[in-house]
Amino acid sequence: MNLNILWFILVAVIILGWSVMDGFDYGVGGLLNFIAKNNEEKRYVINAIGPVWDGNQVWLILGGGAVFAAFPLVYASIFSGFYLAMMLVVWLIIFRAVSFEFRSKVESAKWRNFWDTDITVTGLGIALLLGVAIANILMGVPLNKEHIDYQSLFSLLNIFGLVGGLISLSMFLMHGSTYLIMKTEGEVQQRARAFAKGFAVAFIIVTLLFLIISPIFAPRLLGNSFGIIGDLVPVIMFIGAIGVILTAGSSSDIKPFAYSIVAIIGAVASLAVGIFPNIVPSSINTKYSLNIYNSASNHLTLLVMLIATIIGLPLVLIYAIYAYKKFGLKVKMDDSSY
Amino acid sequence: MDSTALLLARIQFGMTAFFHFLYPPLTIGLGLLLVITEGTYVFTKDQEYLRITRFFAKLFAINFVVGVASGIVMEFQFGTNWAQYSSFVGAIFGSPLAIEGLFAFFMESIFVGVMLLGWNRLSAKAHWVSTILVAFGSTLSGVWILVANSWMQTPAGYKIGSNGIPKMTNFWQMVFNPYFPSEFTHVIMGAWEYSAFFMAGVAAWFLIKNNKDTVMRKALKVAVIFGVIVACGQIIVGDIGAREVVKYQPTKLAMMEALWHSQRYAPETLFALPNNATESNGPQIGIPSMLSMLSYLNPAAKVMGLNAAIRYINKKDSKLDHTKLTLAMFPPVWIVFWSFHIMMYFGFYFALVMLIALYLLLKNKLFDSPKMLKLLSFSTFLPLIAIELGWFTTEIGRQPFTVYGLLTTFNSVSKNVSAVDLGLSITMFVLIYITLASFAVYLFKRELKERVEGKDELAGESAKAAN
């Protein structure tokens, strides 16, 4: 295995880390106004992610940095090509990042409602746009000879992109619901169980729809470089979602979340298998596609970054486990909570 | 790429960088001060130091989230707005950014949750360790960001590959590029300096209202002792940094000092009105031979003027980007000159203020001197102005390059982003930044007011103890 393939896998792992860790933050945020009925419950739900969302968000920054360093041409082409869409995501992230801290600082119903709506809207928005962007990449981007693409925000909002958006939206809402099953008790937990089941069903339906229309919009997904084994990878998504449906109503607090992670692993693996060895396929001419070789940094950079990752990632996991342990499995409120 | 889009891209980057950098210095510096005050509490069991820590931790939290939120823009902007830059140097410039995320930002962001929400869940010592990790993580973030920035000032550890794109040949040479040690020290000390003034200013504000407030007396004491060391040290560090500029960035130095033509016995100009059109300064006041002395420790040394420096760069340093530089491509000299000089004057002012405060503290008169308390309170945010002016100097002074001697700004910008897209995004950023800054200021003020009204950060606990 060469470094380019290894870095493709590592970027996929970082995207997986982001989806699993930050994904439930977006989901819980998106659910906030629907699952919590009053201010007490809202604080309860927010404090389920309160101590950890900030650390989780770093996965996104790490992902950005890793693509920048390992595949700079991809970074440059996609980010400038999807300009306004990227800006939209950035604005949502900005408003989301300040909302938790700001919300708790003023005791006024109006002020709190504003930030609660902000948490909900930004959570839903980021979850949706992520899938839109990825579906568009799977479909192919009009990259020209110089690997530059010119697209408007609205050209991204095509049917295939929107179905992709619904996949990520239902996936993160499912993930957030299962996380709340794990972190809460009582009525909120009961509602979370119902939501988890509902979003898992929605996830299965939109994923099926996506697979049915793929041959029309993204025929290259059928001709993936792993053949029949590759075609079977999306099955993992369904196994996870069905697992969520079966366990959400049970007495287990942890199993639904575990199955939800399986579904996300399936989604990221399907994406990786579908696109490899390209990273950004060109819809103009396959010759202009950016793949793991023509978009990568030189050998030394990839090697240095690999060593850094091997040392750094275990440290990150140790910090995260410590933080999650300190705050316990179930949310407990005290005077330092949000 | 038309020139309007280039101009807009530069405005957007300058604006977002300016806004972002209002916040990280306080995260870095106040983080360290919290380590000091909480550590004092842990070892002396003096509850008042815990109160200082918990109060300033709230201000820290507001500042921290706005810093993080605006920082994400910075990372993504390289790809969105400077695609040519990103594809050209990503292999080198991207690695410190990724390493920052992995080694520093995770540590800082995970433990900031533990620190802010874990007061009742951790032992005093374990909590203090979390605070230390937050402070250490934010400083380490600074290390990697400044590796990336200083590499743009003095690129090293690379070779131009066969495809015409620079590739990394030596990681550690890239990291410890010539400008890194002095830039890092200068920026971190600036952050400490600002935080010392921030804590001192806030404490002084409370003491003006009630000079018997023993918690804030202690906070002011910590801030002044820390501040006097940093403010005096910064003058020395700044001087060392300037000498690195002399060595590696002759065009920047010439603009900082408004020196148009090479000169022996060059004066240190204290006041001038530089004019790019006439390539002269009009009226100016300076100390004869001082610039030669400061630059080379020799009053007779010849210092390169801007014209000569441009010729020098064209001949020697342009390794790749074949754009031939002319004076017209450089920024107006007065911007760089005055950014640098006002920053420098501020630096002396800070040292003077802290020395007087220390003198009064030692004489036991500081808390009873309303004038000094007012001066400190008035000075709270002045270091932030100095910090931003420092960035103006280093970033505008680097122009017309993004990577000094290697890549011009003109050849860095995204080709596929239109002026309309940029206009739209700039408008949004202006609106968002005004909103966020207003919220931050509002919340800062609110925290101060709540404390004045007796809603102390430990009031809840004493109430609980009373029950």
Side-chain angles (χ1 to χ4, degrees):
Chain A
M1 189 182 299
N2 63 34
L3 274 174
N4 298 60
I5 297 175
L6 206 55
W7 263 102
F8 181 85
I9 295 169
L10 276 177
V11 169
V13 168
I14 293 170
I15 292 174
L16 180 67
W18 176 38
S19 311
V20 168
M21 303 297 285
D22 220 8
F24 67 72
D25 292 345
Y26 298 135
V28 170
L31 286 168
L32 180 67
N33 272 359
F34 306 103
I35 203 165
K37 300 291 176 205
N38 53 42
N39 184 45
E40 272 307 296
E41 286 187 357
K42 280 181 178 166
R43 280 192 65 210
Y44 188 48
V45 169
I46 288 171
N47 278 287
I49 52 173
V52 293
W53 70 267
D54 201 355
N56 293 342
Q57 183 171 259
V58 181
W59 285 97
L60 171 67
I61 294 160
L62 176 63
V67 176
F68 195 177
F71 303 108
L73 276 177
V74 170
Y75 191 77
S77 301
I78 287 292
F79 282 28
S80 63
F82 289 12
Y83 188 75
L84 284 181
M86 284 303 302
M87 287 290 143
L88 199 56
V89 171
V90 166
W91 297 329
L92 289 172
I93 290 172
I94 294 177
F95 266 103
R96 185 172 181 281
V98 295
S99 57
F100 301 100
E101 191 60 41
F102 283 9
R103 180 195 192 274
S104 64
K105 283 277 181 284
V106 182
E107 287 188 23
S108 129
K110 233 188 206 169
W111 172 270
R112 281 195 309 250
N113 283 340
F114 174 77
W115 292 111
D116 291 341
T117 309
D118 176 64
I119 292 170
T120 308
V121 171
T122 52
L124 293 173
I126 296 167
L128 180 79
L129 283 173
L130 177 67
V132 172
I134 286 176
N136 272 285
I137 293 173
L138 283 172
M139 200 164 66
V141 169
L143 285 182
N144 65 17
K145 203 161 53 184
E146 294 167 295
H147 304 302
I148 298 174
D149 75 293
Y150 295 84
Q151 281 198 87
S152 72
L153 175 58
F154 297 101
S155 67
L156 298 176
L157 299 175
N158 50 67
I159 297 169
F160 195 66
L162 288 171
V163 176
L166 290 177
I167 293 182
S168 61
L169 183 64
S170 54
M171 182 172 86
F172 287 142
L173 288 171
M174 169 181 78
H175 196 45
S177 309
T178 60
Y179 181 74
L180 283 178
I181 294 175
M182 189 168 72
K183 294 295 285 185
T184 63
E185 287 162 316
E187 272 182 56
V188 173
Q189 192 193 35
Q190 286 312 313
R191 275 177 232 144
R193 288 188 188 279
F195 274 121
K197 222 181 246 180
F199 288 122
V201 172
F203 174 70
I204 291 174
I205 295 171
V206 285
T207 307
L208 278 174
L209 182 63
F210 188 83
L211 293 178
I212 293 167
I213 61 173
S214 291
I216 310 165
F217 290 95
R220 72 168 55 75
L221 290 180
L222 289 176
N224 74 72
S225 32
F226 300 89
I228 188 84
I229 301 168
D231 293 337
L232 288 174
V233 171
V235 173
I236 305 169
M237 286 197 266
F238 295 107
I239 294 174
I242 292 167
V244 171
I245 295 172
L246 294 178
T247 54
S250 75
S251 60
S252 171
D253 290 356
I254 297 172
K255 275 185 194 158
F257 185 66
Y259 276 113
S260 179
I261 293 176
V262 172
I264 295 177
I265 292 173
V268 176
S270 305
L271 165 69
V273 164
I275 211 155
F276 184 86
N278 287 326
I279 302 178
V280 190
S282 168
S283 57
I284 296 174
N285 187 331
T286 44
K287 273 197 309 202
Y288 306 153
S289 295
L290 287 171
N291 60 39
I292 58 168
Y293 299 104
N294 68 4
S295 70
S297 290
N298 59 301
H299 186 264
L300 181 65
T301 302
L302 295 179
L303 186 66
V304 165
M305 299 254 306
L306 180 68
I307 295 168
T309 311
I310 290 170
I311 302 169
L313 219 43
L315 286 175
V316 171
L317 295 177
I318 292 169
Y319 311 146
I321 290 169
Y322 176 80
Y324 277 86
K325 274 199 159 171
K326 277 291 158 196
F327 288 92
L329 185 64
K330 297 291 177 188
V331 180
K332 280 187 205 73
M333 309 275 276
D334 59 39
D335 68 337
S336 39
S337 302
Y338 281 127
Chain B
M1 189 70 224
D2 60 295
S3 54
T4 322
L6 175 65
L7 180 68
L8 289 174
R10 294 175 71 165
I11 289 173
Q12 178 164 321
F13 196 86
M15 189 179 76
T16 45
F18 173 85
F19 183 80
H20 172 59
F21 215 71
L22 292 172
Y23 305 91
L26 194 60
T27 304
I28 292 170
L30 199 51
L32 179 61
L33 282 171
L34 292 179
V35 169
I36 294 171
T37 57
E38 195 179 358
T40 311
Y41 159 70
V42 168
F43 289 106
T44 64
K45 299 278 172 255
D46 182 342
Q47 283 280 333
E48 295 194 321
Y49 280 98
L50 179 62
R51 287 181 174 233
I52 298 175
T53 312
R54 290 198 64 166
F55 175 72
F56 280 96
K58 285 183 176 183
L59 302 184
F60 175 91
I62 299 166
N63 179 75
F64 181 81
V65 290
V66 186
V68 169
S70 56
I72 293 171
V73 184
M74 296 308 296
E75 188 192 30
F76 286 167
Q77 221 170 176
F78 291 113
T80 52
N81 292 46
W82 305 95
Q84 290 194 87
Y85 171 85
S86 298
S87 48
F88 187 70
V89 294
I92 303 167
F93 185 82
S95 59
L97 296 191
I99 291 171
E100 188 244 358
L102 202 53
F103 285 91
F105 203 48
F106 264 121
M107 186 195 286
E108 179 187 3
S109 299
I110 291 176
F111 284 100
V112 90
V114 177
M115 178 181 106
L116 294 175
L117 302 169
W119 292 106
N120 307 329
R121 277 165 221 274
L122 277 73
S123 70
K125 274 219 176 96
H127 191 277
W128 185 50
V129 171
S130 304
T131 309
I132 292 175
L133 291 174
V134 172
F136 181 68
S138 57
T139 310
L140 199 58
S141 271
V143 169
W144 291 106
I145 294 305
L146 293 168
V147 164
N149 183 274
S150 62
W151 186 82
M152 294 165 80
Q153 312 286 345
T154 50
Y158 71 95
K159 208 180 82 191
I160 308 295
S162 54
N163 55 357
I165 288 179
K167 56 180 190 178
M168 195 195 288
T169 51
N170 187 322
F171 177 73
W172 295 111
Q173 271 178 23
M174 182 274 286
V175 172
F176 294 103
N177 65 77
Y179 202 38
F180 169 72
S182 62
E183 180 171 315
F184 171 71
T185 323
H186 190 51
V187 172
I188 292 296
M189 290 200 46
W192 291 346
E193 207 170 354
Y194 168 35
S195 311
F197 272 87
F198 182 84
M199 191 179 258
V202 169
W205 185 83
F206 281 111
L207 290 170
I208 293 168
K209 300 202 169 276
N210 168 18
N211 82 338
K212 296 283 177 281
D213 184 337
T214 52
V215 172
M216 285 300 157
R217 281 183 170 207
K218 282 175 180 163
L220 182 55
K221 199 168 99 185
V222 171
V224 168
I225 294 171
F226 180 74
V228 78
I229 301 168
V230 178
C232 294
Q234 181 70 300
I235 293 173
I236 300 163
V237 170
D239 172 61
I240 295 169
R243 228 163 303 151
E244 298 291 328
V245 179
V246 173
K247 236 188 286 176
Y248 297 102
Q249 296 185 309
T251 56
K252 183 189 280 181
L253 184 89
M255 288 192 277
M256 279 159 65
E257 300 291 356
L259 191 70
W260 297 93
H261 306 286
S262 301
Q263 207 175 332
R264 289 186 187 281
Y265 302 99
E268 169 63 45
T269 308
L270 298 177
F271 177 93
L273 298 171
N275 184 335
N276 273 49
T278 61
E279 296 178 34
S280 67
N281 287 339
Q284 67 176 52
I285 305 165
I287 309 170
S289 305
M290 193 64 184
L291 179 58
S292 295
M293 191 63 203
L294 284 172
S295 304
Y296 299 102
L297 304 174
N298 170 9
K302 190 172 184 178
V303 182
M304 219 186 276
L306 184 55
N307 281 313
I310 294 172
R311 280 198 301 275
Y312 170 83
I313 293 293
N314 268 331
K315 212 165 60 195
K316 266 191 88 175
D317 268 11
S318 275
K319 295 183 183 81
L320 201 75
D321 189 336
H322 295 298
T323 314
K324 192 155 169 59
L325 304 173
T326 60
L327 183 62
M329 297 163 74
F330 282 75
V333 170
W334 68 265
I335 297 181
V336 184
F337 175 83
W338 280 113
S339 301
F340 173 66
H341 278 76
I342 297 172
M343 175 195 73
M344 190 172 68
Y345 297 147
F346 266 131
F348 289 111
Y349 167 83
F350 298 143
L352 186 69
V353 169
M354 281 296 175
L355 281 168
I356 298 171
L358 181 72
Y359 173 78
L360 291 173
L361 183 72
L362 293 174
K363 289 260 163 194
N364 251 330
K365 284 184 193 154
L366 180 59
F367 309 123
D368 305 311
S369 159
K371 270 190 194 149
M372 194 59 203
L373 293 176
K374 268 186 197 146
L375 185 68
L376 283 169
S377 186
F378 163 80
S379 305
T380 308
F381 294 103
L382 294 183
L384 196 52
I385 300 176
I387 284 173
E388 292 286 2
L389 288 171
W391 278 111
F392 286 4
T393 310
T394 202
E395 298 300 274
I396 300 172
R398 173 161 44 83
Q399 298 300 328
F401 291 112
T402 44
V403 185
Y404 199 76
L406 204 59
L407 180 67
T408 54
T409 312
F410 176 77
N411 285 328
S412 300
V413 75
S414 299
K415 285 181 188 169
N416 49 348
V417 176
S418 69
V420 179
D421 284 352
L422 281 158
L424 204 67
S425 56
I426 289 177
T427 314
M428 265 307 276
F429 275 119
V430 169
L431 289 176
I432 290 174
Y433 286 165
I434 290 175
T435 315
L436 286 191
S438 327
F439 280 142
V441 170
Y442 169 70
L443 291 173
F444 268 142
K445 279 189 177 165
R446 221 187 134 80
E447 290 296 333
L448 299 191
K449 220 179 96 205
E450 285 206 336
R451 191 177 179 280
V452 171
E453 287 165 0
K455 288 185 202 157
D456 192 81
E457 53 290 346
L458 286 178
E461 307 225 321
S462 26
K464 240 190 301 176
N467 284 336

